Amino acid sequence: RSRATAYRPSCTCCWDVASSARMAPRSPLAAPLLGASEGQLSGIGFTAAVLSLVKGCIGAGVMALPWATIQGGAASAPALILLGAWNGYTGWLLLDCDAPGSYSDLVRLALGRGGVVLLEGSLLVVLFGVCVSFQVQAATLLSSLPSLGRLASHDVYALITGAALLPLVLQRSFSGIAAISIAALAVLCLGLTAVGLWGLWAEGAPTLPPQLLEPPTAHGFADFLGVAAFSFGGQV
C-alpha cells in the first residue's frame, strides 16, 4: 500500500494533516529537533535528544511528588495513570503524523494561524513562569545556606545564578548541553538515593500512609495535580 493509504486506518486526523503537510510549502524557518539535514538551523542526534527529554521529564519536581501524593489522597494513583495514558496517546499521535517542519508547522496545518498563536503564546508564558520559579528557588537555596547566606543577599544570588545560566541559554541546539543533562540526571539520582537511604535509616521500612486511602479535599487535589502536571504533564 502507499504511504498515505497506510495512515488512513490508524489516524484519520493525523493522515489528513500529514497529507496537507506534503502538499504545503515548508517554512524556511522550520528547525525540527531531531534528524539534522542540510540547511537545517539546528538539530541533535538521537542520544542527545533522549538525554535532554529524560532530563526534562525527570527534574526537581519529582522531589515534591511524595508530599503531593499525600495531598491527592486516594485520587493520586488514578490521576497519575490518566496522565501517563494521556502522554502516551498524544506521543503516539505525534509519531503517527509524519508532517515535515517544526511542531508549530503541524499545529498551523491542523488549527490554522490562530492555533499557532495560542500554542506559542501559551508556551512562552509557561516557559517564562518555569524559568522564574527555578531562578527564585536557586537564589532562595543559596541564600538560606549558613555558609553562603552571610556573604550575599537573595537578590545578589538571583543575579549570580542568572549570569551563570547565560552561556547555556544562548545555545542554539540541545547538543551543546547534553553533557550537562547527563550530569544533572546523575546528581538527581544521587539526591533521590540519599533521601531514600536516609528515610530507611531514620524511619525504617515505609508503610502505606492512611491519607492515600482517604478522599482528597479540593485544595489538596489541586496541589497534587499542579505538581504532577508539572512533573509529567507537559513533556510530550
Side-chain angles (χ1 to χ4, degrees):
R1 294 184 301 172
S2 68
R3 189 180 188 182
T5 305
Y7 269 100
R8 187 177 292 276
S10 60
C11 181
T12 303
C13 176
C14 289
W15 181 88
D16 293 337
V17 172
S19 300
S20 302
R22 282 190 286 272
M23 294 183 291
R26 182 171 179 174
S27 169
L29 297 179
L33 187 64
L34 293 174
S37 58
E38 184 179 357
Q40 184 177 312
L41 292 180
S42 64
I44 58 176
F46 177 77
T47 302
V50 170
L51 291 173
S52 297
L53 290 174
V54 169
K55 180 61 194 73
C57 295
I58 307 176
V62 299
M63 294 289 191
L65 277 177
W67 172 85
T69 303
I70 294 296
Q71 306 307 309
S76 298
L80 286 175
I81 293 173
L82 287 175
L83 275 175
W86 174 256
N87 280 350
Y89 175 68
T90 53
W92 174 82
L93 289 179
L94 290 175
L95 291 174
D96 202 32
C97 291
D98 193 24
S102 65
Y103 188 65
S104 295
D105 291 332
L106 178 62
V107 173
R108 178 164 53 251
L109 290 170
L111 302 176
R113 180 174 177 83
V116 176
V117 173
L118 179 62
L119 168 74
E120 296 184 346
S122 61
L123 285 178
L124 286 174
V125 173
V126 170
L127 290 175
F128 180 77
V130 169
C131 291
V132 170
S133 64
F134 275 121
Q135 196 74 7
V136 171
Q137 184 180 9
T140 301
L141 174 63
L142 292 174
S143 60
S144 64
L145 295 176
S147 57
L148 297 178
R150 297 188 296 267
L151 300 179
S153 65
H154 178 279
D155 296 342
V156 173
Y157 281 121
L159 294 175
I160 292 175
T161 53
L165 289 175
L166 185 59
L168 300 178
V169 300
L170 292 177
Q171 296 286 328
R172 295 292 301 274
S173 170
F174 283 157
S175 59
I177 58 174
I180 297 176
S181 296
I182 297 175
L185 283 173
V187 170
L188 181 62
C189 290
L190 181 62
L192 291 175
T193 302
V195 170
L197 292 177
W198 173 263
L200 288 175
W201 179 78
E203 303 293 339
T207 58
L208 183 67
Q211 297 93 324
L212 292 180
L213 303 177
E214 301 174 357
T217 63
H219 185 272
F221 185 74
D223 289 339
F224 159 77
L225 193 61
V227 175
F230 176 77
S231 299
F232 306 119
Q235 282 70 25
V236 173

